[in-house]
Amino acid sequence: APPGPPPGLALRTCPPRWAEGPQARPREDGAEQQLRELIQGASNPQELLQVSRGPELSSNLAALAIARLARLACEQRLDTESIRGDPRFQQLLDTVDAQISQVWNAPLVQLLRSLPALGLARGGRQARSVEQEVLWRLRRLPLRQLVQLAEHLAGQGHDGLLLPEVLRKLELRWTELEGTRTVVTLMAKVGHLSPTLMERLEDKALELAEQFDPDELRRVALALALQQRRCVPLLRALSYHLLQKPAELPLPVLTDLLFAYSKLSFQQPQVLHRLSLELQPHLGALSPAQVSRCARSFASLRWLSRPLAEAVAQYSLDNTQKLSITQLCGILVSFARLNFQPSSSEEFFSMVHEQLQGQEQQLDTHLLTDVVWSLCVLQQARPPHLRQVLSPEFQARLQGDTSPRAQSSWLKLLHINATARLEAPGYQGPFLPPKALGGDGDRDKDREKATQLQQGLREALPGALGGPDLVRHNVSTVYGWDIDAEVVLDSDNKPLPVRDFAAPHLLRSEGTKPLPPGARRVAVLRWEFPQFSSRGRELLGRGSMARRHLRAAGFLLAEVS
């Protein structure tokens, strides 16, 4: 995922009001003060253009007039081409250009934004002159104006010398930053342009986290997510102070925080509990796209709130005609990842099958694989679904693709194939060909990649059982599931040489003997999310499917974590 969305070009944005307020400035005489008041109070372009004829017009007042003109043009949606073609406007530009060094800082910074808003090219002579003057003054600008400059230039997609210099100055002066709004604005609009500055801003945000209101907490979390910056100390601080907010959180805060936590794979149970609790009553106010996105976010965080999931299922039934096929598939896949069966299961899955019928061709290869895999997890797959994705034609669409997404889809096809063989007695084929099944048995080449727990099993089991020939380690099965260790026990629970017996779960079996009467295969499984309780692991649809398949294949399961 990219670090953040590219700054959008906004050539016709309204100049801000931040340079129009009173500034520290030299004293003005009465005529100049009167002209300033006239400029600031002008309500139409003609009043502003007329000041170009005044003898008291200084370069500073001309800059103010241009800035005010740009704001009026934006607010009143005026034709900027006619303004640029007026000789009086050219006179204002010439006045500024002749004595640009006399323009005060605030009007100069505002002028930099006003010229593009009036349609003058950023590469034109006037714009270059203003930019060069700002560049020379950077060291003397107050931090507030540096922040405003950075925000404006980043929003314009500026590619000249000025923006990098502004960022460099901010990197050096970050300790001067004060106020939550400034820090949040820089993180959201400028941080993606300078990793160094973003690190400093994260430190400052950590210091100010207690002062953030809910919307600022939202914007900071969103900035981290869009830039893929998983700053755990800051995320923990945001979570803590979010939980201290007594009032109910606004809906945009709920949805954006959920997106951010999901994007960063940051699971904070108390926060997720609050988000799910407060989202549920407002679910009907969300669009189908938002509901689907929320379901996917909770699923990626492996967090199941049954009341919220029930509400999502009911929303899907109530808004079937509004949900696109892709949005419905997103909800279905989310339920599968969490192994969630709605209480209205029959009605829900009837609706899903009805909506999917005849629409499969609209889904891309990977999404269709995800959908059928999800139906298999939830034990709702029908023979037509199995035939569609297990056909040679469908397999050919994945061949030659080495992307991570394609590898994930191949693994899911193995799971679907196992469902077809083990859980669909009436299904006659097609199935995946043997060459696609894997099932390599022992994989000693992966010994170096073994986790501490796997290594402990590898060292402890041979001694406990009585010899290395009584256990098979790190077994890759034809069902798409890996077994950390495999043992064969006779009817008296005594271990037998595992490699002497036929192993239908492997592509190539070393032994040929059938298991003795009363003998059983035991699969030792190490689940990948040890932070969950055993009950929590049941939430994972993938784990539920693995258990079903291995039991159907004749294994007893011994689980460790």
Side-chain angles (χ1 to χ4, degrees), residues 29-40:
D29 60 31
E32 288 179 326
Q33 182 62 35
Q34 186 177 4
L35 190 55
R36 171 186 288 277
E37 293 173 358
L38 175 64
I39 291 170
Q40 292 176 338

Side-chain angles (χ1 to χ4, degrees), residues 278-307:
E278 295 189 13
L279 260 176
Q280 184 184 341
H282 300 292
L283 208 62
L286 298 180
S287 69
Q290 290 174 312
V291 171
S292 180
R293 186 162 53 244
C294 287
R296 295 198 309 272
S297 295
F298 277 116
S300 70
L301 289 165
R302 300 175 181 86
W303 180 266
L304 175 61
S305 165
R306 291 189 179 276

Side-chain angles (χ1 to χ4, degrees), residues 154-422:
Q156 291 285 310
H158 196 278
D159 55 1
L161 296 176
L162 184 55
L163 180 56
E165 285 301 318
V166 171
L167 295 176
R168 238 186 310 274
K169 293 295 184 292
L170 287 172
E171 290 168 9
L172 295 173
R173 298 175 60 181
W174 70 276
T175 55
E176 300 176 40
L177 290 171
E178 294 180 356
T180 57
R181 182 187 176 281
T182 299
V183 174
V184 171
T185 298
L186 285 177
M187 292 184 77
K189 298 190 176 182
V190 183
H192 64 282
L193 298 174
S194 170
T196 301
L197 177 60
M198 190 63 180
E199 288 179 11
R200 306 289 188 266
L201 292 172
E202 288 170 354
D203 292 341
K204 201 69 178 178
L206 190 58
E207 177 185 325
L208 297 172
E210 186 177 0
Q211 303 174 34
F212 289 152
D213 62 31
D215 189 65
E216 288 170 334
L217 290 170
R218 174 192 70 85
R219 293 182 65 196
V220 171
L222 209 53
L224 294 174
L226 293 174
Q227 298 174 49
Q228 285 291 286
R229 296 185 66 91
R230 197 173 187 273
C231 180
V232 173
L234 180 54
L235 287 169
R236 286 175 176 166
L238 296 179
S239 301
Y240 173 79
H241 292 295
L242 177 73
L243 294 171
Q244 307 310 305
K245 306 296 181 186
E248 184 174 333
L249 298 173
L251 193 53
V253 173
L254 296 173
T255 55
D256 284 351
L257 281 175
L258 178 59
F259 165 79
Y261 278 53
S262 169
K263 188 82 170 174
L264 297 170
S265 299
F266 185 75
Q267 192 194 61
Q268 214 291 334
Q270 291 90 344
V271 170
L272 294 179
H273 175 73
R274 178 170 184 176
L275 294 181
S276 59
L277 194 66
E278 295 189 13
L279 260 176
Q280 184 184 341
H282 300 292
L283 208 62
L286 298 180
S287 69
Q290 290 174 312
V291 171
S292 180
R293 186 162 53 244
C294 287
R296 295 198 309 272
S297 295
F298 277 116
S300 70
L301 289 165
R302 300 175 181 86
W303 180 266
L304 175 61
S305 165
R306 291 189 179 276
L308 181 63
E310 289 284 4
V312 171
Q314 190 59 49
Y315 180 98
S316 303
L317 290 169
D318 295 341
N319 297 274
T320 301
Q321 301 306 315
K322 297 179 182 178
L323 282 166
S324 70
I325 190 67
T326 304
Q327 291 161 356
L328 179 60
C329 290
I331 292 172
L332 176 65
V333 173
S334 300
F335 284 179
R337 292 186 70 177
L338 296 173
N339 196 29
F340 173 71
Q341 295 275 0
S343 58
S344 56
S345 183
E346 184 175 347
E347 184 182 2
F348 177 80
F349 288 112
S350 294
M351 179 271 292
V352 169
H353 287 303
E354 182 180 340
Q355 295 299 310
L356 284 176
Q357 189 171 6
Q359 301 296 315
E360 293 89 343
Q361 298 302 322
Q362 295 184 19
L363 307 180
D364 69 46
T365 303
H366 302 297
L367 181 54
L368 182 56
T369 304
D370 288 346
V371 167
V372 178
W373 179 86
S374 299
L375 291 171
C376 290
V377 168
L378 298 169
Q379 297 180 281
Q380 299 293 331
R382 296 176 177 176
H385 302 137
L386 301 175
R387 279 195 290 271
Q388 186 164 14
V389 297
L390 294 177
S391 67
E393 296 78 17
F394 189 84
Q395 298 166 42
R397 290 156 64 177
L398 284 174
Q399 287 174 352
D401 189 346
T402 59
S403 66
R405 183 77 188 274
Q407 293 174 8
S408 173
S409 292
W410 269 115
L411 182 59
K412 287 175 179 174
L413 281 183
L414 291 181
H415 300 161
I416 295 169
N417 190 69
T419 298
R421 287 199 177 277
L422 301 172

Side-chain angles (χ1 to χ4, degrees), residues 12-17 20 38-49 64-80 83 110 114 117-118:
R12 294 296 307 276
T13 56
C14 294
R17 297 189 183 275
E20 293 186 4
L38 175 64
I39 291 170
Q40 292 176 338
S43 59
N44 65 74
Q46 292 304 317
E47 295 178 37
L48 290 167
L49 292 171
L64 284 175
I66 294 172
R68 182 65 181 159
L69 192 59
R71 174 161 290 281
L72 287 179
C74 182
E75 291 175 346
Q76 300 176 14
R77 300 182 180 276
L78 302 176
D79 178 19
T80 58
I83 294 176
Q110 191 176 19
S114 300
L118 287 168

Side-chain angles (χ1 to χ4, degrees), residues 537-555:
R537 287 198 298 272
E538 292 290 344
L539 296 176
L540 299 174
R542 184 172 176 272
S544 174
M545 178 191 267
R547 291 183 183 89
R548 293 201 320 263
H549 285 173
L550 293 173
R551 286 179 181 133
F555 283 92

